[in-house]
Amino acid sequence: MVTASGAPGTAALLRALRQNGEREVRLVGTDMSERSVGRHLCDAFHIVPAGSDPRFAETMLEIAQREEVDAILPQSSFDLEGLAEHVERFPMPVLVSSPAAIERSNDKAETYAFLHRIGVRAPEFRRANGAHEVAAAARELGYPERPVCFKPVFSSGSRGFRILDPTVDRAHQLLHERPGSVAMRLEEAVELLPDEGGPDLLVMELATGGEVTIDGIADGHEIVLGHPKTREAMRAGLAMFFVTLDDPELMRVSNLIVEELGIEHFFNIQLVGDHVIEINPRISTIVYQEDLNLPYLGVKRALGEITDDELRGHAARVRPGRTALRYFDQLEFD
């Protein structure tokens, strides 16, 4: 069973699970929306409450038992906590880390604090609430001499992320850019934010440079199998182009993070330049190879069909330079 089956990576993930080279797989999709592409690509589909809804875990359990699923693979950060807190109730493996690991990963202030503590580069930051604290934090971090950025302490992906840059050309944004530009001036943000209250925000140093991510499978202590990749050509907040890398230093840094958090099963760690900016204890976009199918291997591991030592042996199959190009497709139905 694959949750959040309307997510952008769903089509590729489901195709990889089907084309595993070993067995026929029946796929059950769940999502909050009936317009989820999973409705059309899975063998069965169910609408479920939001991951934060108290009914979520019970609904997932009932569907999993009715559909006789062998494993549950969550795709969305919003589903993780609701599953992790009730994982002992599920008679089948749920590929999710502990509640503590998820909470620390989702709290960006906690994330950056422990990264600094274990010697991993992360942006300098201030936790702020309300317009006045955001303005003060931005100036402490160097605004307006240099741009800074902010996002909610608890968020997923690029939701709520904004760059504060005094050089923003508002006329150019209005006439030439698509709606939803992530750059604005501090004065605009202060005008929109409440004086007090609202969500806690993380005001931080703006990391610059190329984007890379490390994807893999962990055992709660270290990475069992994984590799880095570039993350390029952003469209609508999504990376559209990836190239697999051979970078032992990135793997070393990722191992430190996995060990600190105790991440199990799938993970994704994102860097901009040499700063770690995001830790996701879930599956993300994968660069697939015909001889290295990470999602399927992760499910086999959860089912006890492959050992960690056997997974480590697959590391030699990673092909640096392997490229993935994401594109938009569509399907029709009556």
Side-chain angles (χ1 to χ4, degrees):
M1 184 157 68
V2 177
T3 81
S5 61
T10 295
L13 173 62
L14 297 179
R15 184 169 58 249
L17 292 172
R18 285 198 192 279
Q19 298 175 359
N20 59 72
E22 286 187 356
R23 54 157 70 95
E24 183 177 341
V25 173
R26 182 170 182 269
L27 297 172
V28 178
T30 67
D31 201 272
M32 292 169 55
S33 171
E34 64 179 9
R35 295 181 180 179
S36 164
V37 70
R39 175 185 285 277
H40 306 280
L41 300 181
C42 291
D43 301 294
F45 175 80
H46 299 269
I47 297 175
V48 297
S52 58
D53 191 304
R55 301 171 297 157
F56 177 70
E58 185 64 36
T59 303
M60 293 293 293
L61 175 60
E62 190 276 327
I63 293 170
Q65 291 177 320
R66 187 184 347 145
E67 294 285 1
E68 299 182 333
V69 306
D70 296 297
I72 299 174
L73 175 56
Q75 279 197 97
S76 170
S77 297
F78 296 105
D79 294 343
L80 300 180
E81 194 169 350
L83 289 171
E85 290 178 348
H86 301 277
V87 71
E88 71 284 346
R89 298 176 56 194
F90 288 77
M92 69 288 294
V94 182
L95 281 70
V96 66
S97 289
S98 69
I102 294 166
E103 183 177 357
R104 295 181 70 196
S105 299
N106 288 343
D107 184 332
K108 300 301 183 294
E110 163 65 16
T111 294
Y112 292 162
F114 85 70
L115 289 174
H116 288 302
R117 188 173 67 252
I118 66 175
V120 173
R121 291 201 67 179
E124 292 295 330
F125 71 95
R126 303 288 188 275
R127 193 167 186 149
N129 185 279
H132 299 305
E133 290 187 12
V134 167
R139 293 189 175 97
E140 284 181 27
L141 292 169
Y143 189 93
E145 283 73 25
R146 60 175 182 170
V148 298
C149 58
F150 74 87
K151 70 184 301 183
V153 169
F154 294 95
S155 66
S156 177
S158 58
R159 294 172 179 85
F161 175 77
R162 292 293 184 273
I163 297 171
L164 302 176
D165 186 349
T167 66
V168 166
D169 186 335
R170 298 176 66 187
H172 185 274
Q173 282 187 345
L174 176 66
L175 298 172
H176 300 289
E177 295 187 14
R178 293 181 183 272
S181 173
V182 299
M184 63 195 313
R185 297 175 183 176
L186 176 60
E187 295 76 14
E188 296 174 86
V190 167
E191 181 180 343
L192 294 171
L193 291 169
D195 291 338
E196 296 179 350
D200 282 351
L201 300 173
L202 205 63
V203 186
M204 52 193 169
E205 170 189 4
L206 179 63
T208 58
E211 294 192 24
V212 298
T213 61
I214 300 89
D215 300 282
I217 302 166
D219 65 359
H221 305 283
E222 64 180 4
I223 298 171
V224 179
L225 177 64
H227 63 80
K229 68 179 187 301
T230 64
R231 187 172 182 269
E232 308 173 48
M234 304 299 294
R235 290 182 67 183
L238 298 172
M240 306 299 290
F241 189 85
F242 310 86
V243 180
T244 302
L245 302 172
D246 178 16
D247 193 322
E249 177 59 17
L250 286 176
M251 295 300 291
R252 183 192 71 81
V253 168
S254 299
N255 256 317
L256 290 175
I257 295 170
V258 164
E259 181 181 16
E260 170 70 22
L261 290 175
I263 293 175
E264 296 183 68
H265 302 296
F266 293 108
F267 70 88
N268 168 269
I269 298 171
Q270 183 178 341
L271 293 88
V272 174
D274 55 2
H275 290 75
V276 174
I277 64 164
E278 193 91 21
I279 301 168
N280 298 303
R282 58 166 172 78
I283 198 165
S284 188
T285 304
I286 300 295
V287 177
Y288 296 99
Q289 297 177 193
E290 67 280 359
D291 59 346
L292 189 68
N293 188 332
L294 273 180
Y296 183 64
L297 289 171
V299 173
K300 281 173 65 73
R301 176 183 179 272
L303 294 172
E305 296 183 358
I306 189 169
T307 68
D308 286 350
D309 284 342
E310 288 172 325
L311 275 184
R312 291 185 181 96
H314 284 68
R317 299 183 180 183
V318 176
R319 299 205 297 270
R322 175 75 169 175
T323 299
L325 176 63
R326 180 146 57 177
Y327 63 96
F328 294 111
D329 197 357
Q330 67 188 50
L331 55 81
E332 286 73 30
F333 56 93
D334 291 318

